[in-house]
Amino acid sequence: EGELTGLEDYVSNMKDGQKEIYYAIGSDRDSLAESPYTEALKKAGYEVALLTDPVDEWSVEALRDFKGKKLVSAMRADVKLPDAANEKDKKARDVSLGPVLKKAREVLGNRVSEVRTSDRLTDSAACLVLPEGAPHLYMERVLKETGRSQGEAKRILEVNPTHPLVVALETLCERKADDPRLSDWIEVLYDQALLTEGRAPEDPNRFAKRVTALLAQVAGSAAGG
């Protein structure tokens, strides 16, 4: 609610059965509060500590746990989320979206280390998550500014299998796997994920043109309907 809270209060407010303390790191509270990384956690009624000070990354790495509760970044690839799909459902979901995931890997190439379905997204279509050991974007920038950058770690692109845009991609891929619109939509998904992480699209002009073209298609379909 916009007020500071300590780990003592966080633990006191934890839901029954919650085993970990969740946090997100970024430059400002408002963008973190609305970020896709917190969607599943908030839906489950879990609090997320929003850390906006450069020292926070070192603090949580040094602390690691508090009163037996492990501190876990909601922005990392290996976070275990409440109400996550079981392995059987996840495999079925991955098989269904397999052609889309494969196409995305082809389109994005070495810009990401992997493309996979997500449990952490409930409203957003996609997000970029951190591999194990990689610093958060905020810390990457701090290290770069102080001349200690070790390069930017490649993210993992996660897509929400229930989002209408991803479902539309799946349908389009089934009908016509070589449709050029698939590449454009995947690029837009990736650029949106960059924006939600706090980075600018690699080519803002091309991003704007793709979004405009997609909006024109939707507007044309609506007018025709």
Side-chain angles (χ1 to χ4, degrees):
E1 301 300 326
E3 298 180 1
L4 293 175
T5 186
L7 292 177
E8 192 80 46
D9 290 332
Y10 184 107
V11 172
S12 297
N13 293 334
M14 286 174 70
K15 291 185 65 176
D16 290 342
Q18 183 178 347
K19 299 178 180 179
E20 298 172 321
I21 297 171
Y22 298 101
Y23 67 88
I25 290 180
S27 59
D28 68 277
R29 181 196 176 281
D30 290 341
S31 61
L32 282 177
E34 298 302 320
S35 76
Y37 305 103
T38 65
E39 289 176 357
L41 293 168
K42 290 194 293 187
K43 183 178 180 180
Y46 292 179
E47 290 185 339
V48 181
L50 307 178
L51 310 182
T52 58
D53 193 294
V55 77
D56 287 333
E57 181 117 14
W58 285 295
S59 298
V60 293
E61 289 297 325
L63 187 59
R64 295 191 178 274
D65 68 81
F66 181 78
K67 289 195 170 182
K69 306 291 184 180
K70 184 180 179 182
L71 275 72
V72 175
S73 171
M75 307 169 87
R76 291 204 179 278
D78 58 352
V79 63
K80 300 294 187 295
L81 297 165
D83 301 323
N86 60 45
E87 283 302 313
K88 183 178 179 181
D89 291 341
K90 183 172 176 55
K91 286 180 180 179
R93 186 177 66 188
D94 290 348
V95 168
S96 177
L97 272 177
V100 174
L101 300 179
K102 180 181 178 181
K103 183 68 175 181
R105 293 184 191 110
E106 293 172 356
V107 171
L108 299 177
N110 62 8
R111 284 178 284 174
V112 295
S113 61
E114 176 60 296
V115 182
R116 67 187 192 187
T117 56
S118 179
D119 290 317
R120 81 187 73 219
L121 301 173
T122 60
D123 301 316
S124 301
C127 70
L128 290 164
V129 298
L130 292 167
E132 184 179 358
H136 295 76
L137 176 64
Y138 189 27
M139 182 52 57
E140 282 185 344
R141 287 175 174 168
V142 170
L143 292 173
K144 185 176 182 179
E145 290 169 0
T146 56
R148 292 181 288 171
S149 175
Q150 297 180 348
E152 192 174 276
K154 289 182 182 178
R155 273 51 170 169
I156 297 168
L157 179 68
E158 290 191 350
V159 298
N160 179 356
T162 63
H163 192 278
L165 179 53
V166 177
V167 173
L169 278 173
E170 181 181 10
T171 302
L172 182 59
C173 198
E174 289 174 351
R175 291 177 179 173
K176 192 177 181 182
D178 60 348
D179 193 312
R181 291 177 296 175
L182 280 170
S183 295
D184 285 338
W185 286 18
I186 289 167
E187 290 283 2
V188 169
L189 272 181
Y190 175 69
D191 284 338
Q192 286 182 330
L194 286 174
L195 286 168
T196 57
E197 191 190 15
R199 292 188 285 169
E202 295 167 355
D203 188 334
N205 289 328
R206 188 159 49 184
F207 171 65
K209 288 178 181 178
R210 285 193 175 109
V211 171
T212 300
L214 291 172
L215 289 173
Q217 290 175 22
V218 174
S221 298

